[in-house]
Amino acid sequence: MADYKIEDIYQGGYSNLSPDYGSLFSGYRVKDTSTIGLSTDPRTANILNEVSQKIAAGEQAVELSLIQPEILEAIPKQHLQEVNRLAKLTGVDITVHGPLIDASGVTQQGFDNQQREIAERKIIQAIGKSHELNPSGNVPVTFHTANQLPGTKYSKTKEGEEIEFMPVVNRDTGQITGAKKQERFYPELREGGIRKEVHTPNEQLEIMNSSQWDESLQQLIVPKEHADKILSETYPFVREIISKKMDVNYLTPIQKQNLDRFENAYEQLGDIRKHLSSIFDKAYKAYKEEGNEKALKYMENVAKNFSNNVGQGDVIRYSSALQNFMQQLRPNALHQKEIEVPSVFVSAEKYAIEKSNETFGNAAWESYKKYKGKAPIISIENPPAGFGLSRAEDVKNIVVGSREQFVKKAVENGISKSRAEKEAEKLIGATWDVGHINQLRQFGFSSEDIIKEAEKVAPYVKHVHLSDNFGMENTELPMGMGNVDLKEVMKKLGKKGEKAKKIIEAAHWWKHQQSSPVAVSLEALGSPIYSMNMSPYWNQAAGFHQGYYGGYGMMLPQVNYEMFGAGFSQLPAELGGQRQGGQGGRMSGRPME
């Protein structure tokens, strides 16, 4: 009884002492109904009609779902301005779901920096159009962390969380492959038999890097040995020809043959040098991206030694310098200096985060330069679990990294670091989709695991998307109709989640039930009917209006009055009334029908 307050004792359900009545009630009671909103139909650019319909239904917040880039492009700027006027007239808050764009620049063919730059321009344009919806305020604009990027596949067992598959990118080519958990079998040297080892995707990644690096150097050994053999055989015979620059027209056939062989071998050394330079370039770039100062210093010394030892016109010295250059890049030489082999292959999601940070940070800075304190808020959303960058840690890393990129750009342009950090925190945050993260259940994750994800992202939340499902497919139902534990999720999101706009996304309800999800959503959220933020609540609505159709249904139907309380004229003709009946007379000899 201690949980009941006097304002809850209201005639509002089958039991006046049950304010949480109803199976649809999620357990979470929204405190401020103005934070609840509805998204528009993403298939149409007719935002004037969409917003008008939502306002007419009493919505206090409306999110323009502009997830298709071509739909966003089809909206005239005049319509954006008219929506702004509608919102101001009615006191409705407008938010935006921006187009589904891969900020990292990934495509089906892999990562492409030109595509990243195009994505950045598209995001900047979407932010600009969102600003027109409310030039005097900070409109939240949601973008997904990723769209086409393949995601890491997990499994959850009693022992904990394991990675089964991890997408991998070749930093040099941008192409995406994968590393998965594998069983490997090796001969047991001491006791005989076979030894089984299980390699995790991270271990597989190390093997890929080590093998690729060693093979790239190994394939130069045979051509180098072949070239050295020819040089050692021919150099004694061509040394005088080269030093005296003799005219080839006066050489003997044997001298010409030796000179041709020598020049071919020398050209082969030139090709080997090009390959080594390319390998050196890959290593240097990889170490630079990793920020490995020790490895960078080592590579600089390798380059310096080669330059000092290559010699001018001395073929033997040149060959020896190439040999030394090659040996210094071999894995054993690196390990002796306690340096890891360059990571040419890296986690595709880690790589995408680095690229996305650059894109979102740059876009936020460009927005701030143009709109200052009224710039829209970039709110970065988790896509459905199983897609790339769908975990709380991914969202957190992109928000933090994008803020750092913003601060870097701002400081370069004369803004103090403290002020830049304050603006970055204001303009870059997270949208948490409670339905998307619930799909971790397909990998064996529990409700408790999903609640922990909300706790990780809570400090960065600026916006919330509400949709329910059963964790197996990317369906969108109103809250209370699946197994999302909204009460505990919202508890972890805390004050920021409570303050944020909470947008109802219920595409599959619209599709199959063909009715608005607002009423059932208000019931699931236990929303108060009146503005005093007290009972009665929408989840009590079935009982408190006392209509014939509430509770047990039609208690006193009209036919009762017609039969017993409206005079003889309403009786069937067979009973002396005027109403059409069985057409059988009272004395006809046949029963009334």
Side-chain angles (χ1 to χ4, degrees), residues 215-282:
E215 288 171 7
S216 64
L217 292 166
Q218 195 77 23
Q219 66 183 1
L220 299 179
I221 292 177
V222 173
K224 175 69 167 53
E225 290 176 348
H226 180 68
D228 284 343
K229 181 175 182 297
I230 294 175
L231 289 173
S232 64
E233 292 174 351
T234 59
Y235 189 60
F237 299 101
V238 301
R239 184 180 349 185
E240 185 179 4
I241 298 172
I242 294 172
S243 62
K244 293 183 178 181
K245 298 180 181 179
M246 295 173 60
D247 190 339
V248 294
N249 294 319
Y250 296 100
L251 299 179
T252 65
I254 294 177
Q255 286 177 319
K256 285 184 179 180
Q257 183 182 11
N258 284 326
L259 183 61
D260 288 342
R261 292 183 67 208
F262 175 84
E263 288 178 343
N264 288 337
Y266 190 79
E267 287 177 5
Q268 199 164 12
L269 287 183
D271 289 339
I272 291 170
R273 178 176 179 175
K274 289 178 182 178
H275 283 294
L276 282 172
S277 296
S278 176
I279 292 170
F280 181 91
D281 173 67
K282 292 177 184 178

Side-chain angles (χ1 to χ4, degrees), residues 468-493:
D468 212 337
N469 55 54
F470 295 93
M472 299 299 150
E473 299 292 339
N474 184 28
T475 51
E476 294 180 338
L477 297 172
M479 300 311 304
M481 295 186 176
N483 56 20
V484 172
D485 192 346
L486 185 64
K487 180 180 179 180
E488 293 303 317
V489 168
M490 292 305 299
K491 188 183 294 185
K492 293 300 182 185
L493 294 183

Side-chain angles (χ1 to χ4, degrees), residues 22-67:
S23 64
L24 195 60
F25 182 50
S26 65
Y28 166 69
R29 192 176 300 286
V30 66
K31 296 177 182 177
D32 183 0
T33 55
S34 68
T35 64
I36 302 297
L38 190 63
S39 63
T40 61
D41 188 336
R43 299 169 297 178
T44 178
N46 189 357
I47 59 172
L48 283 177
N49 181 58
E50 282 288 310
V51 173
S52 296
Q53 288 182 357
K54 304 300 183 286
I55 291 175
E59 291 300 318
Q60 294 178 275
V62 178
E63 178 154 294
L64 299 185
S65 188
L66 309 177
I67 61 175

Side-chain angles (χ1 to χ4, degrees), residues 203 223 233 277 283 401 467 495:
E203 290 171 339
E233 292 174 351
S277 296
S467 64
K495 291 183 179 179

